[in-house]
Amino acid sequence: MEIKDALYELFTDDPLNWAKWGIVFLIFILGYAVAVPLYKKIYYQFSWERKRDIAASRNQVIEATLLKKHPQGEVARRNWHATYQYSIHGEKKQYRAYFKHPMTPPRKLSLYYLNSPNKLFSYDEYHWESPKGLILFPLIFLPWILAAAVLFLLKVEIPGR
């Protein structure tokens, strides 16, 4: 079977159907041109990096010093629990952080806050971000969804049906 025959079998021999398939592929490619920048923008909006940038721009940063750390897990893949000490308004407080393998606790940790110094966070420690994945999941499939919608709207003839 030649390439020409294989393409006719895959897309039929109707030139109008070929044009429709071309539009579907174009929409698929343009879907990625839209989805990738949108993904990056939404990812940043829900990220700890954005919160850190806002706190740093407001100069709401507190330096903490490592007090103690202890490993968890096997030697080759250790996760760390660490306790840091910082002082705010002359009062010494502690902050507990979790570092997932391969990260280890640094001696100095920058702590940030947005509205209240009682609600500190660090950018460097491990954060579980499942809700962000649920929001970004549809964006990953946006080009496929758009291409499928155009496929059915144009009533593209699919061989073998």
Side-chain angles (χ1 to χ4, degrees), residues 25-53:
F25 287 128
L26 179 67
I27 294 297
F28 182 70
I29 292 166
L30 291 176
Y32 273 106
V34 170
V36 170
L38 193 59
Y39 181 92
K40 288 179 182 178
K41 183 179 275 190
I42 290 174
Y43 186 88
Y44 180 74
Q45 288 296 321
F46 288 97
S47 70
W48 289 96
E49 182 181 3
R50 178 177 174 265
K51 291 179 181 180
R52 180 203 59 192
D53 293 346

Side-chain angles (χ1 to χ4, degrees), residues 1-32:
M1 177 182 280
E2 291 184 26
I3 293 176
K4 183 178 177 182
D5 296 331
L7 288 174
Y8 281 158
E9 188 176 319
L10 186 61
F11 298 110
T12 72
D13 59 352
D14 181 18
L16 183 59
N17 201 45
W18 278 71
K20 290 178 183 179
W21 274 108
I23 293 170
V24 169
F25 287 128
L26 179 67
I27 294 297
F28 182 70
I29 292 166
L30 291 176
Y32 273 106

Side-chain angles (χ1 to χ4, degrees), residues 11 17 20-25 27-28 143-159 161:
F11 298 110
N17 201 45
K20 290 178 183 179
W21 274 108
I23 293 170
V24 169
F25 287 128
I27 294 297
F28 182 70
W144 295 91
I145 294 166
L146 291 174
V150 169
L151 186 81
F152 289 111
L153 287 174
L154 293 177
K155 297 178 182 168
V156 176
E157 183 181 335
I158 300 173
R161 286 186 144 198

Side-chain angles (χ1 to χ4, degrees), residues 14-125:
D14 181 18
L16 183 59
N17 201 45
W18 278 71
K20 290 178 183 179
W21 274 108
I23 293 170
V24 169
F25 287 128
L26 179 67
I27 294 297
F28 182 70
I29 292 166
L30 291 176
Y32 273 106
V34 170
V36 170
L38 193 59
Y39 181 92
K40 288 179 182 178
K41 183 179 275 190
I42 290 174
Y43 186 88
Y44 180 74
Q45 288 296 321
F46 288 97
S47 70
W48 289 96
E49 182 181 3
R50 178 177 174 265
K51 291 179 181 180
R52 180 203 59 192
D53 293 346
I54 291 170
S57 71
R58 296 178 185 169
N59 202 21
Q60 296 173 332
V61 182
I62 298 171
E63 290 297 320
T65 307
L66 181 65
L67 278 181
K68 60 184 175 181
K69 63 182 178 179
H70 68 278
Q72 175 187 13
E74 58 190 64
V75 176
R77 296 189 41 85
R78 284 193 168 156
N79 298 326
W80 293 88
H81 293 275
T83 304
Y84 289 87
Q85 183 175 9
Y86 64 95
S87 103
I88 185 160
H89 305 302
E91 186 180 343
K92 291 191 180 210
K93 296 186 177 186
Q94 291 184 350
Y95 179 84
R96 288 177 179 73
Y98 176 69
F99 297 90
K100 195 165 173 74
H101 175 78
M103 294 178 58
T104 57
R107 292 192 188 276
K108 296 277 186 186
L109 183 68
S110 295
L111 301 174
Y112 305 92
Y113 63 94
L114 294 176
N115 299 323
S116 170
N118 294 328
K119 296 180 180 178
L120 295 172
F121 66 92
S122 84
Y123 176 72
D124 298 325
E125 71 180 298

